[in-house]
Amino acid sequence: STDSSPVFQAATAVFFDSGGTNKTHVAVFEGSSATPTSYTVVDTYTPFEGWAVSGDGNVVVGLGWLGCADAHAVRWSEADGIQDLGSTVPDNSSRANGADFDGNVIIGWQDGAGRQGAVWVDGVQELIFLPGGGAASEAFDVSSDGQWVTGIGFGSPVAAASAYRYNTETDTTEEIPNLAGGGEARFA
């Protein structure tokens, strides 16, 4: 913007209460105010790790711990509260890494045989596969309209791999060639 006001209308933050309640709080900040307009105590998951905020600032996605070892991808909004996005692999965790502009398309990973790329469209999980049928690794970003998801292909951030882009409307994945010299991995 041309003045000192922020470009966004709302932003959301997640913070852990150090006041002895041991609860996670989600705060909504609007305009240029440094004081939250509202906040909600999230009781279902302690702690709740916020990993991303939707483009409109109304949805926080991340990881909700179910105990000491298991966690699920979660979505929070002031209107809907906390939503457990679940795990499609029994006794395995999932995590939300990002969201599109309005928070209806969420991306991340599903544990099973490693961290497989996953996308939740309106709360329903789909696993991402590479064109050859192998599992794509975790998804890292999504376009503002929710159509395109990017992530790393087979491998890991420290091993040779290519990036991918996944189309949520056509359920198709394209590999993006590794353009780095020396076989280094690159993220999309």
Side-chain angles (χ1 to χ4, degrees):
S1 81
T2 57
D3 60 16
S4 62
S5 64
V7 175
F8 60 86
Q9 290 183 330
T12 310
V14 177
F15 61 95
F16 190 73
D17 182 8
S18 60
T21 65
N22 293 329
K23 301 212 187 269
T24 303
H25 299 269
V26 179
V28 178
F29 298 83
E30 294 191 49
S32 60
S33 172
T35 304
T37 57
S38 62
Y39 72 92
T40 299
V41 177
V42 179
D43 292 320
T44 309
Y45 300 97
T46 303
F48 168 73
E49 297 176 12
W51 279 79
V53 178
S54 64
D56 65 7
N58 293 319
V59 175
V60 176
V61 298
L63 182 90
W65 286 96
L66 301 170
C68 294
D70 294 322
H72 284 172
V74 292
R75 177 188 190 275
W76 177 89
S77 71
E78 192 167 25
D80 300 324
I82 191 94
Q83 296 173 310
D84 183 343
L85 297 176
S87 173
T88 55
V89 180
D91 301 320
N92 281 271
S93 296
S94 61
R95 183 180 75 202
N97 289 342
D100 69 345
F101 183 81
D102 62 9
N104 290 322
V105 177
I106 297 167
I107 55 91
W109 53 261
Q110 169 65 61
D111 261 345
R115 289 185 174 177
Q116 183 170 359
V119 60
W120 291 264
V121 178
D122 296 322
V124 178
Q125 187 193 67
E126 294 180 33
L127 298 178
I128 301 173
F129 292 89
L130 297 173
S137 291
E138 78 182 274
F140 292 106
D141 208 356
V142 60
S143 60
S144 64
D145 65 2
Q147 181 178 358
W148 295 102
V149 174
T150 61
I152 193 167
F154 185 78
S156 73
V158 295
S162 61
Y164 67 83
R165 74 175 185 165
Y166 171 75
N167 187 317
T168 61
E169 295 176 5
T170 63
D171 192 28
T172 56
T173 307
E174 293 177 71
E175 287 188 81
I176 300 169
N178 184 354
L179 301 176
E184 297 172 359
R186 293 290 182 254
F187 294 94

